[in-house]
Amino acid sequence: MTILITNIKELLQVREENVSLIAGKSMKELPTIKDAYLLIENDRIADFGAMENCVIKKFDQTIDARGKIVLPTWCDSHSHIVFAGNREQEFVDRINGLSYEEIANRGGGILNSAKILGRTDEDDLFNQSLKRVHEVMKMGTGILEIKSGYGLTLESELKMLRVIKRIKNTVPIKIKATFLGAHALPLKFKNTKRAYVDHIINDMLPVICKENLADYIDVFCEKGYFSLEDTERLLVAGKQFGLTPKIHVNQFNAFGGVALAVKHGALSVDHLEELIDDDILALTGSKTMPVALPTCSYFLGIPYTPARQIIDAGLPLALATDYNPGSTPSGNMNFVVSTACIKMKMTPEEAINAATINGAYAMGCSNEYGSISIGKKANLIITKDIPSYNYLPYAFGDNHIEKVIINGQLIN
Ligand code: NIG
Ligand code: FE
């Protein structure tokens, strides 16, 4: 099956050479071709270029993209999209003055979601979660990382990871799975945190690996959750089971988690709302991708990750949703890109680089996703008729997407 897209007003993120990430000043550059064509062969990008050079005569289907912009689908490298129920009441409690921390201390927060998930059966959890994945696909997400972490018991963590596996086998987009057993301390282990970490290491990790249920290991490295010492034990154990670290760090406090993650070869460090010079130093020269989650800051009213500081230090930056019921009940990458421009002072070029190629890197997939390059997966967004790509983040909250193509096929 071949599809020729013609008369594309502007084709974004065109990379002739296979780059794996974009860092520092280069993030301000977004290579494009105006008045372009793109040829899809089966599930891959087979050719592209300026319309005037288009000599392709043989194809099965053609899409006229006059007035429209074409770009790679969003690469969302951080989500908790598998969850049960919602936390609307906590949202209202926060409006009425309680903090995220106060709600968590009352047994709300992550433990509240774990309670609901515990009594939700696997099929129900699958159906609730699958619906959300279909929604984010329509909003242009073409690869998605999904974490466990609302189980917090062996049984429920396995339930979550099996649901992630079923989603992976059901949807056309690529899914990466992350084991986040260390997301919060279950009540049962209230005064014996070390025993819970032992439980994760000795009882959960071996089963998860035997069933091949995860690609990455995550820890909520934060005051009141898991310390540097806990985090290190978990990362070391995870690596022994072949799981690469990819961790929650510096959401509320910066105390050395970034350097620890880098030391253990983390693929990404996510959140970074709080950032100290030592973190920048640790990331410099490393292979670890910093990931910002601006719609989490938006929803909780906490500081935004200092993107300018990170990028101006020559580092790369990726953007992701953090879609979860507590801190970010939205999986809309378009809104993430807008918020990054509006609140973090990223240029549209930087934000698009961060939400495509750098997001793909943060899932170990930038060789196949995240740019318009020959041989990469044909995962594309075709916008409506819009004036320029700046309009995508500028006219925030509107849906500018007309079509989404995943693996060379149009989805509804
Ligand atoms: O990334 N910070 C830790 N985990 C999630 C929120 C979890 C929740 O509140 O349910 C996050 O923001
Ligand atoms: Fe998260």
Side-chain angles (χ1 to χ4, degrees):
M1 172 80 177
T2 54
I3 303 176
L4 181 66
I5 310 176
T6 57
N7 302 312
I8 303 167
K9 179 176 184 154
E10 195 162 7
L11 180 63
L12 311 187
Q13 191 60 301
V14 170
R15 304 276 173 183
E16 309 270 346
E17 307 218 329
N18 205 351
V19 289
S20 62
L21 61 81
I22 313 288
K25 282 196 178 73
S26 305
M27 284 189 72
K28 278 207 164 69
E29 290 156 25
L30 183 70
T32 75
I33 302 175
K34 287 192 170 140
D35 194 15
Y37 73 94
L38 184 142
L39 180 72
I40 299 170
E41 252 172 42
N42 300 320
D43 62 340
R44 305 271 165 181
I45 298 169
D47 193 14
F48 60 85
M51 220 30 224
E52 59 189 19
N53 301 328
C54 181
V55 290
I56 294 150
K57 299 264 166 346
K58 263 184 70 186
F59 43 81
D60 301 312
Q61 191 187 339
T62 174
I63 298 172
D64 187 356
R66 204 172 294 267
K68 296 160 191 176
I69 284 169
V70 174
L71 67 155
T73 48
W74 305 125
C75 303
D76 184 358
S77 65
H78 183 137
S79 95
H80 310 249
I81 204 168
V82 169
F83 60 85
N86 63 68
R87 304 224 301 267
E88 285 168 80
Q89 186 52 49
E90 293 178 9
F91 168 62
V92 177
D93 291 344
R94 275 190 298 102
I95 294 172
N96 286 322
L98 285 181
S99 70
Y100 183 79
E101 199 181 359
E102 283 162 341
I103 290 168
N105 291 341
R106 290 197 320 185
I110 296 166
L111 293 184
N112 186 1
S113 287
K115 208 187 304 167
I116 308 170
L117 189 135
R119 52 174 196 249
T120 305
D121 73 34
E122 193 180 304
D123 285 341
D124 189 3
L125 183 64
F126 172 71
N127 290 326
Q128 288 187 39
S129 308
L130 184 65
K131 190 164 168 256
R132 292 181 203 114
V133 176
H134 280 135
E135 278 159 10
V136 302
M137 279 166 54
K138 279 188 246 155
M139 293 190 279
T141 295
I143 333 180
L144 176 65
E145 182 258 17
I146 310 177
K147 299 173 194 298
S148 71
Y150 291 121
L152 310 179
T153 63
L154 172 62
E155 192 194 348
S156 291
E157 283 295 310
L158 287 175
K159 176 161 72 184
M160 285 192 82
L161 290 164
R162 286 176 186 141
V163 164
I164 297 172
K165 194 171 187 173
R166 277 172 74 182
I167 291 173
K168 187 175 177 167
N169 294 333
T170 307
V171 297
I173 64 169
K174 185 158 184 94
I175 303 285
K176 288 281 192 166
T178 301
F179 170 50
L180 175 56
H183 196 192
L185 194 62
L187 284 180
K188 201 177 138 196
F189 291 89
K190 201 166 177 245
N191 300 311
T192 51
K193 191 171 57 165
R194 199 177 164 85
Y196 183 58
V197 175
D198 288 342
H199 181 45
I200 295 175
I201 294 173
N202 301 327
D203 307 320
M204 297 193 194
L205 271 173
V207 189
I208 287 159
C209 291
K210 195 161 160 236
E211 289 192 31
N212 201 8
L213 291 173
D215 304 295
Y216 304 112
I217 182 154
D218 194 347
V219 178
F220 188 15
C221 179
E222 184 55 65
K223 286 196 176 142
Y225 292 83
F226 296 90
S227 66
L228 290 179
E229 192 199 336
D230 303 326
T231 304
E232 182 151 45
R233 289 186 65 211
L234 289 156
L235 298 191
V236 168
K239 283 200 292 181
Q240 280 164 357
F241 283 101
L243 305 184
T244 303
K246 189 168 162 60
I247 76 166
H248 280 76
V249 71
N250 290 31
Q251 184 174 5
F252 301 107
N253 298 282
F255 52 89
V258 171
L260 181 72
V262 169
K263 178 179 147 196
H264 288 285
L267 183 58
S268 71
V269 280
D270 303 31
H271 273 288
L272 312 177
E273 288 87 342
E274 300 298 326
L275 202 71
I276 52 175
D277 290 346
D278 281 353
D279 299 327
I280 298 273
L281 222 59
L283 286 165
T284 304
S286 80
K287 291 194 158 62
T288 304
M289 176 66 71
V291 179
L293 310 165
T295 49
C296 173
S297 300
Y298 173 82
F299 188 73
L300 290 185
I302 60 175
Y304 286 85
T305 303
R308 285 269 52 95
Q309 195 189 338
I310 294 172
I311 297 171
D312 296 346
L315 295 171
L317 183 66
L319 288 167
T321 61
D322 198 17
Y323 194 177
N324 76 77
S327 73
T328 325
S330 162
N332 188 344
M333 280 295 286
N334 304 283
F335 188 58
V336 167
V337 168
S338 277
T339 310
C341 294
I342 297 164
K343 293 291 184 185
M344 292 159 65
K345 300 282 173 252
M346 290 173 74
T347 64
E349 293 81 6
E350 287 173 327
I352 293 171
N353 277 319
T356 56
I357 189 76
N358 285 358
Y361 179 91
M363 291 180 276
C365 290
S366 55
N367 58 336
E368 284 221 293
Y369 296 87
S371 68
I372 304 296
S373 310
I374 290 174
K376 279 198 177 180
K377 287 276 186 186
N379 276 18
L380 307 166
I381 292 172
I382 304 178
T383 69
K384 295 175 183 166
D385 189 335
I386 54 172
S388 81
Y389 64 76
N390 292 330
Y391 198 79
L392 291 172
Y394 159 80
F396 71 93
D398 271 356
N399 175 21
H400 303 298
I401 296 180
E402 186 179 270
K403 293 187 176 73
V404 176
I405 296 177
I406 302 290
N407 298 333
Q409 294 196 352
L410 278 167
I411 61 157
N412 306 323

